[in-house]
Amino acid sequence: MRSLILCEGFDDVLILGYYLYKTQKWVFDPKAIFSNFYKFPKIDVKRQVVEVYKKNDNLVGIWAVGGKDSFEAAFKFIYKVNSQYPQ
């Protein structure tokens, strides 16, 4: 299963990642690829961060989109991906 958490900034990624690691034993994997079919778009290159955590065969991506004004572009990307790759 693949899940994606959208958040505003880098601090949110750190807090959520730490929570997943400490409470649910998810492990941060810097080499993990969320999908072979697509890559996350660069909405805000300076402030955007994507971290992937693994637990068994499951993946969780935490995507800091780079600010409150960037959520709309992230939602459009997610809608596009879900439409093109429903599996």
Side-chain angles (χ1 to χ4, degrees):
M1 177 177 77
R2 288 176 172 42
S3 301
L4 183 63
I5 300 171
L6 295 179
C7 58
E8 190 174 347
F10 183 71
D11 294 337
D12 302 329
V13 171
L14 290 178
I15 292 168
L16 291 168
Y18 184 75
Y19 176 79
L20 288 174
Y21 173 74
K22 283 296 194 179
T23 61
Q24 304 297 319
K25 306 301 182 210
W26 288 83
V27 178
F28 172 64
D29 187 359
K31 296 180 183 177
I33 298 173
F34 198 73
S35 177
N36 293 327
F37 298 111
Y38 59 87
K39 294 184 187 247
F40 294 103
K42 298 291 184 188
I43 296 172
D44 186 339
V45 177
K46 293 180 182 178
R47 298 185 296 168
Q48 179 176 322
V49 176
V50 178
E51 289 189 355
V52 179
Y53 289 80
K54 290 177 87 172
K55 184 177 181 182
N56 302 329
D57 291 335
N58 300 320
L59 295 174
V60 171
I62 305 175
W63 182 10
V65 295
K68 63 182 175 63
D69 297 330
S70 302
F71 277 102
E72 184 177 353
F75 285 128
K76 286 180 182 179
F77 172 74
I78 292 169
Y79 178 76
K80 178 182 166 185
V81 167
N82 285 332
S83 298
Q84 292 178 351
Y85 306 105
Q87 66 280 15

